[in-house]
Amino acid sequence: MIALSPILVLSLAIIVFLALLFAFKLSTKGCAILTVCGLTCALICSVMVGYKISFSTQAITNISSDNMQISASISESAKEQTRSSEETIAIDTVSTETTKSSNEDETINIDSNTENNSIDNKNIDINSNVVNNSNIDDESTDEWKAHHITALFTCDGYGLLYTSLILMISISVACFAYRWFKQEQNHHGLFYLILLFMALGGVTLVYSSHLIAFFIGIELLSIPFVGLIGYQYTQTHSLEAAVKYMILSAIASVFLLMGIAFYYATTGELTFSGLSYQLSTISYPSLLLLIGVCLMLVGIGFKLSLVPFQLWLPDVYQGAPTIVALLLSTVGKVAIFCAIARLFLLAPIVNNETIRIILVIMAFCSILWGNLLALMQSSLKRLLAYSSIAHFGYLLTALIAVQYQVLALETIGVYLIGYILANICILGAISLDSHSDELQDHENEIDLSGLFWRRPILALAMGVGLLSLAGTPLTAGFVGRFLLVLLGVTAELWWLVAAVVIGSALGLYFYARLIINLYIRPVCRDDLISSKSSIKLKWTDIRISELIIVLCALLTMLCGIYPKWLFNLVSMAQYLTT
């Protein structure tokens, strides 16, 4: 029960939210406060469990020995059986030798045996006390060790780290949404209810260690997104984006479910650890297994918007509200990517040359396609949509080089944390500069021009986020990009390393264009620079939403200047192999 505390707290928060919403008809502010409280309680539980588990579970550093654990346990049990048989033989020989001795020797032996027995009894008592104490200590520490929760879920440091990140993003979006809805008189409790369901789906997906739990988590994450994208249906292209996402998400789910069915038909396993054992023992994978993996890659490619399954993403980003686009770019992709990374770490899928070539082509095309089309965008949300295609093409390199387990885990963790912080800075600033009663959010270059002279704090935070996405030094994005190149060179993925370098150069151009646009002075209609334009900074205007954005910007710079604590955090999040 302790291991599942984030899921249980979120479920309880949904039940309480529904009861209070129908009983008292809460306002938007009350719904926001209740949602933040529920997410915060789940976050506290995940942090506490993760802290305990990180110090109670032994770190795993060698992935090559993971598939040998079954044989090792069998050999240990055989050794224990042989030891027990040897002990019985020794006792029997001692008893036969004592019967053959003479009467005088028997009396002497009886006396000596009694003395020895008394000494042995004392030793046994002492040893039993030690064993009992050690068993008590083991029982108390086993409660905080990483372990499987039935066959569906796994509680380990890896899952709890990304659970905490998902809950932090959800708390930030709840605060941004309240500011976004502030000018409306209508109640928006339904939005926060869908947000809680989305957070529950993301946490379920991160916890999953079974393909059925994986599928349920994806659906529990994707279905709320349909409601969130089309929630503000009065805005331009909102309903169009919701319909597109719903249809394509249903098609991707069909491909994913069919791939799981082929997988099960070939291996007879659905757990990640069972798949690891089956795939490691198969010398030549069958055609049915390859078809199943390819069908699963189609569904995963859509969810991560990798080439050639990326055409839906820019339209959905543009039609969705900015706060929903923030959820799509962070929670919607981070949760799925973490679950896929767990599957790839346990099951040697990349060992097959055909699948490896397919993944390399998808990563290479995603990097170049995303960066090239981002150059031609004037809408910031469409630009970030194409940019996210490139970023998850970068991260696909870490999955291809997953045999270097320690470096791959560090790369994935550092890169995702930097990516999340940068997106909160950029899209959070856009949402605070927009309102829900408008036909469109302020996400065009014209709308953001001269933002520094109107809202300097938001402009500075957005600039830091854009620099981090570009991979500029002294930001978290640079550290993640450096680790990615290091991993590619270590795995000798030269084509992908070249694509990362070229994509980074292209990205630096259009990110720098946006940063310069933020600091342009506003121009009057007579093409003269306004002399009245000046920075208006009022400390009374800084509230919780602004503090969240400023904190993310500061963390982005801190991770770039002193990344050691970030490495320690990611290295503590070890995944469970058994």
Side-chain angles (χ1 to χ4, degrees):
M1 298 297 290
I2 296 176
L4 285 176
S5 56
I7 296 178
L8 296 177
V9 169
L10 285 176
S11 303
L12 182 61
I14 291 173
I15 296 172
V16 173
F17 188 92
L18 280 171
L20 294 178
L21 186 63
F22 286 107
F24 300 102
K25 295 181 179 180
L26 297 175
S27 63
T28 304
K29 184 176 182 179
C31 293
I33 293 173
L34 188 60
T35 302
V36 170
C37 290
L39 293 171
T40 304
C41 291
L43 176 61
I44 292 172
C45 292
S46 64
V47 170
M48 290 178 61
V49 175
Y51 180 79
K52 292 287 186 178
I53 284 178
S54 63
F55 289 102
S56 300
T57 305
Q58 186 177 1
I60 299 167
T61 57
N62 189 7
I63 195 171
S64 62
S65 62
D66 296 343
N67 296 325
M68 301 300 293
Q69 290 176 351
I70 296 175
S71 60
S73 62
I74 294 172
S75 62
E76 288 177 359
S77 62
K79 290 179 180 178
E80 290 177 357
Q81 291 178 358
T82 55
R83 288 176 183 173
S84 62
S85 62
E86 289 175 357
E87 289 175 356
T88 56
I89 293 170
I91 292 169
D92 293 337
T93 54
V94 171
S95 62
T96 54
E97 288 176 357
T98 54
T99 55
K100 291 180 181 180
S101 61
S102 62
N103 294 327
E104 293 178 355
D105 295 332
E106 285 179 357
T107 56
I108 297 171
N109 288 329
I110 289 170
D111 295 333
S112 61
N113 286 330
T114 53
E115 292 177 356
N116 291 328
N117 288 329
S118 62
I119 295 171
D120 292 336
N121 291 326
K122 292 179 181 179
N123 293 328
I124 290 170
D125 293 334
I126 295 170
N127 292 327
S128 63
N129 292 326
V130 173
V131 170
N132 291 327
N133 292 328
S134 63
N135 289 329
I136 294 170
D137 294 335
D138 291 337
E139 289 176 358
S140 61
T141 56
D142 285 342
E143 187 180 4
W144 298 108
K145 286 186 177 179
H147 61 282
H148 288 293
I149 311 166
T150 69
L152 297 178
F153 302 111
T154 297
C155 179
D156 55 4
Y158 175 82
L160 289 167
L161 171 64
Y162 295 105
T163 296
S164 303
L165 291 176
I166 289 171
L167 293 173
M168 289 178 185
I169 298 167
S170 302
I171 292 171
S172 302
V173 170
C175 296
F176 296 152
Y178 173 69
R179 292 287 298 276
W180 193 65
F181 289 125
K182 194 172 182 179
Q183 292 189 355
E184 288 193 20
Q185 300 297 326
N186 298 328
H187 299 308
H188 295 281
L190 182 61
F191 180 89
Y192 290 98
L193 179 62
I194 301 174
L195 178 62
L196 284 174
F197 273 108
M198 184 275 310
L200 179 62
V203 173
T204 303
L205 189 57
V206 171
Y207 262 81
S208 63
S209 60
H210 193 280
L211 286 178
I212 297 301
F214 173 73
F215 180 76
I216 293 173
I218 283 183
E219 292 306 305
L220 193 57
L221 182 68
S222 300
I223 293 174
F225 270 124
V226 178
L228 290 175
I229 291 170
Y231 183 81
Q232 199 69 13
Y233 55 87
T234 57
Q235 286 193 337
T236 310
H237 307 300
S238 179
L239 291 178
E240 178 188 354
V243 171
K244 283 183 178 179
Y245 183 84
M246 180 180 64
I247 295 173
L248 294 176
S249 179
I251 295 172
S253 299
V254 170
F255 275 99
L256 183 62
L257 194 59
M258 185 62 69
I260 292 173
F262 278 113
Y263 226 147
Y264 179 74
T266 306
T267 61
E269 288 284 348
L270 286 176
T271 60
F272 290 178
S273 57
L275 288 174
S276 172
Y277 178 71
Q278 292 291 334
L279 291 176
S280 61
T281 55
I282 295 175
S283 57
Y284 296 99
S286 62
L287 181 62
L288 193 65
L289 179 61
L290 291 177
I291 293 174
V293 174
C294 291
L295 288 174
M296 289 181 63
L297 288 178
V298 172
I300 293 168
F302 169 81
K303 301 296 182 181
L304 296 178
S305 64
L306 299 171
V307 174
F309 313 105
Q310 84 292 349
L311 295 177
W312 62 275
L313 190 68
D315 295 335
V316 172
Y317 267 52
Q318 188 176 18
T322 305
I323 49 177
V324 179
L326 174 59
L327 288 174
L328 275 171
S329 62
T330 53
V331 176
K333 292 187 174 183
V334 169
I336 296 172
F337 189 86
C338 293
I340 295 302
R342 186 191 294 276
L343 177 61
F344 275 50
L345 284 166
L346 292 177
I349 297 175
V350 190
N351 291 348
N352 185 270
E353 192 63 27
T354 303
I355 299 174
R356 187 182 179 86
I357 291 173
I358 292 173
L359 291 175
V360 169
I361 293 173
M362 289 175 65
F364 186 82
C365 295
S366 298
I367 293 171
L368 295 183
W369 179 274
N371 284 299
L372 286 174
L373 290 185
L375 290 171
M376 300 178 282
Q377 305 302 319
S378 60
S379 170
L380 183 58
K381 285 199 290 189
R382 290 185 70 90
L383 186 147
L384 291 177
Y386 285 111
S387 174
S388 69
I389 296 171
H391 282 289
F392 280 88
Y394 295 148
L395 279 171
L396 196 57
T397 306
L399 290 185
I400 297 170
V402 78
Q403 67 270 20
Y404 301 96
Q405 179 219 8
V406 177
L407 185 57
L409 279 178
E410 288 185 357
T411 303
I412 292 171
V414 172
Y415 200 98
L416 283 178
I417 291 174
Y419 178 77
I420 289 170
L421 293 175
N423 274 274
I424 292 176
C425 290
I426 298 169
L427 293 172
I430 296 175
S431 68
L432 293 184
D433 196 46
S434 308
H435 302 287
S436 60
D437 56 351
E438 298 172 338
L439 293 178
Q440 191 175 1
D441 290 337
H442 299 167
E443 44 94 13
N444 292 319
E445 290 188 10
I446 298 175
D447 299 326
L448 295 173
S449 179
L451 180 65
F452 177 76
W453 305 98
R454 292 181 282 115
R455 308 191 71 173
I457 294 177
L458 296 184
L460 290 171
M462 187 184 294
V464 172
L466 291 170
L467 288 174
S468 179
L469 289 181
T472 309
L474 302 182
T475 60
F478 173 77
V479 179
R481 201 71 56 87
F482 175 78
L483 289 177
L484 196 68
V485 174
L486 178 62
L487 180 62
V489 171
T490 306
E492 298 182 355
L493 300 172
W494 305 115
W495 285 100
L496 291 181
V497 171
V500 169
V501 174
I502 296 171
S504 299
L506 294 174
L508 186 61
Y509 170 74
F510 58 76
Y511 287 128
R513 184 188 68 192
L514 291 174
I515 294 171
I516 293 172
N517 189 44
L518 294 174
Y519 298 95
I520 296 176
R521 277 183 177 271
V523 179
C524 297
R525 292 183 179 179
D526 55 353
D527 296 335
L528 295 175
I529 299 177
S530 176
S531 60
K532 296 181 181 181
S533 61
S534 59
I535 299 175
K536 296 179 180 180
L537 180 61
K538 296 180 180 179
W539 296 106
T540 56
D541 294 336
I542 300 176
R543 299 179 183 176
I544 296 176
S545 301
E546 283 84 0
L547 287 177
I548 291 173
I549 295 176
V550 170
L551 181 62
C552 290
L554 292 177
L555 286 176
T556 301
M557 297 180 65
L558 179 62
C559 293
I561 297 172
Y562 185 74
K564 184 178 179 180
W565 70 272
L566 185 59
F567 293 153
N568 294 333
L569 177 65
V570 175
S571 62
M572 287 168 59
Q574 296 290 334
Y575 76 102
L576 183 66
T577 58
T578 57

